[in-house]
Amino acid sequence: MKTPGRFIQSLKAKFLIVIRKEQDFSVITSFSISTGRMLSILALIFILIFGFSLIMSKTLLKAWFDPSYRDSENTALLFKMSETVDSLRLEVIRKDNYVKNIQRIISGETEIFEDQETLDTMPFAKRLNPEFNFEPSEATLSILQEMRGLPLEEARVQAPDGGFIGETYFFPPLKGVVTSIFDPTKDHFGIDVVAKENEPVKSIADGTVIFTSWTLGTGYVVAVQHTNELISIYKHNSVILKNIGDVVKGGEIISIIGNTGELTTGPHLHFEMWYKGSPLNPQDFISFN
């Protein structure tokens, strides 16, 4: 019982610290401090030094204290360089194909050169997303041909069969003013929506991206395959934020409104809906106001 009491008394014991001049030993200042307070100050100084050293080793001095820092930095740099080289390679191949197509057109050939390994089609999508296993139907293939600039064999407007369309809620791709309505008689199979600059464009429902490309007439185009052979198409974008094979949710941003392509007179979104190969009037299912 005496030992704890003696320990507490030793912590409470005070010491007088006097500072004197060396020449005449006159007192400059003096102060008293207990053993417990001295230990507390030492512990606080240790914690501060340890914390400061830890922060420095993770920030400014990380390259010195972390042996794996240099390896991780080199790995990230190599990965970034690999992506850049791959993108440049694909871009060079696309431009080579474009030149070959121009040469074929000038020479009078009608067949268009298309190398499946160099375009944003199935092989490229599988490389980006190995789980992408989309098999397009005949109706979907005809729409993909139209998006690549090839003429449609037929584009009949018909009422969708079943209750799938009527019972499904669609997110508006964006809010804005409809400046050009759906008019198949004038080969206008969608609507034009004008909105603010850099407005995000959203997917109308859950689905899988089946087409992302740039065409001369419609600029940057992205298409999403939904259930029951419903396809939504978004044209004249300034930026496409998704790749072929990406799974998107309804309301998820997929692109940015733009003014790309020759068939445009200002920033807007040309939006189309196709159901089993037939165009639908988007205003019958979505409110854009």
Side-chain angles (χ1 to χ4, degrees):
M1 295 298 294
K2 294 182 179 180
T3 302
R6 291 179 180 178
F7 178 73
I8 294 175
Q9 289 179 358
S10 63
L11 291 178
K12 292 182 178 180
K14 293 185 178 181
F15 298 89
L16 179 64
I17 298 176
V18 180
I19 300 176
R20 300 175 180 269
K21 290 184 179 182
E22 184 179 2
Q23 291 81 2
D24 54 3
F25 296 100
S26 59
V27 177
I28 298 176
T29 184
S30 64
F31 59 90
S32 62
I33 185 172
S34 64
T35 305
R37 181 172 295 181
M38 184 180 298
L39 293 175
S40 300
I41 293 175
L42 292 176
L44 180 61
I45 293 174
F46 174 79
I47 292 173
L48 291 176
I49 294 175
F50 179 79
F52 178 76
S53 301
L54 183 63
I55 294 174
M56 293 296 292
S57 66
K58 297 296 182 181
T59 54
L60 299 178
L61 302 179
K62 185 176 181 180
W64 293 356
F65 289 94
D66 189 355
S68 63
Y69 174 79
R70 184 62 60 184
D71 292 337
S72 61
E73 286 289 307
N74 292 337
T75 302
L77 181 60
L78 288 174
F79 183 75
K80 185 176 180 180
M81 291 176 63
S82 177
E83 286 186 332
T84 303
V85 171
D86 185 60
S87 300
L88 291 174
R89 182 183 66 84
L90 291 176
E91 189 65 27
V92 169
I93 295 175
R94 289 192 188 99
K95 290 184 177 180
D96 289 343
N97 290 340
Y98 178 76
V99 173
K100 290 179 181 179
N101 288 334
I102 295 296
Q103 292 174 345
R104 287 170 177 264
I105 294 173
I106 293 175
S107 62
E109 298 181 25
T110 57
E111 183 180 359
I112 301 299
F113 178 81
E114 183 174 354
D115 186 356
Q116 291 296 326
E117 293 183 357
T118 64
L119 301 177
D120 291 333
T121 52
M122 188 66 70
F124 185 62
K126 287 184 177 179
R127 184 168 60 83
L128 292 174
N129 186 359
E131 298 181 356
F132 182 62
N133 192 26
F134 170 70
E135 296 182 359
S137 63
E138 293 183 1
T140 299
L141 287 175
S142 66
I143 298 172
L144 290 175
Q145 288 178 350
E146 188 271 339
M147 285 189 287
R148 292 192 178 100
L150 301 178
L152 281 173
E153 295 182 0
E154 58 179 351
R156 295 174 297 176
V157 181
Q158 60 182 19
D161 53 345
F164 165 72
I165 298 294
E167 296 175 357
T168 303
Y169 172 78
F170 297 107
F171 290 88
L174 60 86
K175 293 289 187 178
V177 179
V178 177
T179 58
S180 184
I181 63 174
F182 177 78
D183 191 355
T185 60
K186 297 181 180 179
D187 292 333
H188 196 254
F189 300 106
I191 63 171
D192 294 338
V193 185
V194 176
K196 296 179 181 179
E197 186 179 2
N198 296 326
E199 189 76 8
V201 177
K202 304 174 183 178
S203 175
I204 62 171
D206 297 353
T208 303
V209 178
I210 60 171
F211 185 85
T212 60
S213 185
W214 184 90
T215 63
L216 186 62
T218 57
Y220 289 105
V221 181
V222 57
V224 180
Q225 171 78 61
H226 310 286
T227 55
N228 286 26
E229 296 190 51
L230 175 68
I231 297 177
S232 58
I233 305 173
Y234 315 77
K235 299 182 178 180
H236 302 299
N237 301 280
S238 61
V239 178
I240 296 177
L241 303 177
K242 299 296 180 180
N243 295 311
I244 295 178
D246 288 350
V247 177
V248 297
K249 296 292 185 180
E252 184 176 348
I253 298 174
I254 58 176
S255 63
I256 303 296
I257 191 173
N259 186 33
T260 58
E262 293 184 349
L263 303 178
T264 179
T265 57
H268 75 285
L269 170 69
H270 177 85
F271 174 68
E272 299 178 6
M273 293 176 63
W274 293 76
Y275 182 65
K276 294 185 177 181
S278 298
L280 303 177
N281 184 358
Q283 289 186 287
D284 291 341
F285 309 98
I286 303 174
S287 174
F288 295 86
N289 299 327

